[in-house]
Amino acid sequence: MTIQSSELILNPDGSVYHLNLKPENIAKDIVFVGDQNRVEKITQFFDSIEFSTQKREFKTQTGTYKGKRLTVMSTGIGPDNIDIVINELDALVNIDLETRQPKQNLTSLNIIRIGTSGSLHADIPVDSFVLSKIGLGLDNMLRSYLIDGVSNTAIEEAFVAHTNWDIRKGRPYAIACSEVLEKIIESDRMHKGITATAGGFYGPQGRVLRLPIQDQQLNNKMDSFVFESNRITNLEMETAAIYGLSTLLGHQALSLNAIIANRASGTFSADPYKAVDALIAYTLDKLANQ
């Protein structure tokens, strides 16, 4: 099957359209951040940087940390950006960009997101770390793909029933993290649970400014949701989309968050940059020693 140029768009130099990357520009181990300014907060610890580029909010640097070749990339905010990033990364390693045909031998990338998030529970305080065992997508993006083989319908049905979810907003989806990466990264420092992924920052996360929202009690309902001892630990905008697309395409993915806000107690980290830096250092050392 030859993929048409309207479906896989390349720049004049042969790089993929949005990310501005060629296959040789990326490592097999990739760290995602949301904020483009956070890329250099990670690569400042590298021994060397071999490549750097940016197009729009997508900034990428590849280099070496303690002998380990790593790529750090900013995705911007939201599931729609994740759709672009993971599909184009997969194209770089699993599609021959000259013939426009999928490769016979496929490559599996290791993708770890380092993000910030708000906790939904008082016992997951600011400045702590959360490892997302499951991504619960409230955004509906992944429903454009055939996900029946990877989504946990039992969790979906339990969540819909518990929250009296308005199905007009689309059916939630639930995708597990990579067990391979979980074993590499986990430690006693990590809280674990379900990370809910919203399609927006204000109404979709229960924030009310001037517009009324469809379910004012949704956050409270999520607080009390438990499935097989897994509760919803935090709410953000990327994890479930990363897990879903990575699983469908055969990549390993794990999402980590530094908790900078606690919605239950109404507190915010006194130094959110310090919390993020601590999670960065922790993650880089785990990757370098795998």
Side-chain angles (χ1 to χ4, degrees):
M1 178 188 71
T2 301
I3 301 170
Q4 296 179 338
S5 58
S6 60
E7 309 308 294
L8 175 57
I9 304 170
L10 301 180
N11 295 311
D13 66 354
S15 61
V16 290
Y17 182 66
H18 295 92
L19 302 184
N20 212 34
L21 296 171
K22 296 180 180 179
E24 63 268 23
N25 300 145
I26 62 169
K28 183 180 177 182
D29 296 275
I30 300 175
V31 175
F32 281 178
V33 294
D35 184 357
Q36 56 194 295
N37 294 323
R38 197 175 293 154
V39 172
E40 291 184 351
K41 289 184 178 296
I42 297 179
T43 60
Q44 67 176 325
F45 298 107
F46 281 19
D47 306 317
S48 62
I49 296 174
E50 67 184 68
F51 175 81
S52 182
T53 191
Q54 181 169 0
K55 184 176 181 181
R56 303 184 185 182
E57 62 266 56
F58 307 114
K59 181 172 183 174
T60 303
Q61 290 191 330
T62 296
T64 302
Y65 176 80
K66 294 185 178 179
K68 181 78 170 180
R69 189 170 186 251
L70 297 170
T71 292
V72 183
M73 173 182 297
S74 61
T75 64
I77 298 173
D80 52 341
N81 275 20
I82 296 302
D83 184 57
I84 290 171
V85 171
I86 292 187
N87 274 292
E88 291 194 3
L89 282 175
D90 181 76
L92 288 172
V93 295
N94 290 322
I95 297 174
D96 186 317
L97 300 185
E98 293 185 2
T99 66
R100 293 182 169 274
Q101 295 185 349
K103 295 178 179 179
Q104 293 295 317
N105 297 317
L106 300 179
T107 296
S108 179
L109 298 170
N110 296 321
I111 298 169
I112 295 184
R113 176 184 183 269
I114 298 178
T116 57
S117 183
S119 166
L120 298 178
H121 299 279
D123 63 339
I124 303 178
V126 295
D127 303 328
S128 62
F129 301 160
V130 166
L131 183 154
S132 306
K133 286 277 291 182
I134 297 163
L136 178 65
L138 312 180
D139 56 279
N140 215 37
M141 182 278 291
L142 204 68
R143 291 290 176 187
S144 295
Y145 300 93
L146 300 174
I147 68 170
D148 289 345
V150 301
S151 184
N152 188 319
T153 56
I155 296 178
E156 294 171 12
E157 291 168 0
F159 180 79
V160 168
H162 180 81
T163 60
N164 192 27
W165 183 262
D166 188 338
I167 208 66
R168 291 175 298 178
K169 295 191 292 186
R171 182 181 173 90
Y173 59 91
I175 314 285
C177 73
S178 162
E179 293 182 359
V180 174
L181 292 181
E182 180 185 4
K183 290 177 181 178
I184 293 171
I185 298 296
E186 67 181 348
S187 75
D188 293 340
R189 297 185 66 180
M190 294 285 176
H191 296 271
K192 292 184 180 182
I194 301 170
T195 292
T197 295
F201 184 76
Y202 289 96
Q205 294 191 38
R207 292 182 173 91
V208 177
L209 302 183
R210 291 203 314 118
L211 293 175
I213 59 176
Q214 182 270 327
D215 186 352
Q216 294 186 2
Q217 300 303 315
L218 181 58
N219 280 13
N220 291 333
K221 295 173 185 176
M222 289 197 293
D223 288 348
S224 58
F225 178 71
V226 179
F227 185 88
E228 295 180 351
S229 76
N230 289 305
R231 59 182 178 166
I232 297 176
T233 52
N234 61 313
L235 180 61
E236 45 83 272
M237 296 180 64
E238 289 84 27
T239 293
I242 293 170
Y243 285 6
L245 288 173
S246 295
T247 301
L248 289 170
L249 290 167
H251 304 298
Q252 306 294 321
L254 187 68
S255 179
L256 309 173
N257 278 279
I259 298 300
I260 62 171
N262 188 292
R263 301 289 292 277
S265 62
T267 55
F268 192 84
S269 174
D271 191 349
Y273 299 108
K274 182 179 179 180
V276 172
D277 286 347
L279 181 57
I280 288 169
Y282 173 91
T283 305
L284 288 179
D285 284 338
K286 287 285 189 177
L287 288 173
N289 293 322
Q290 67 173 301

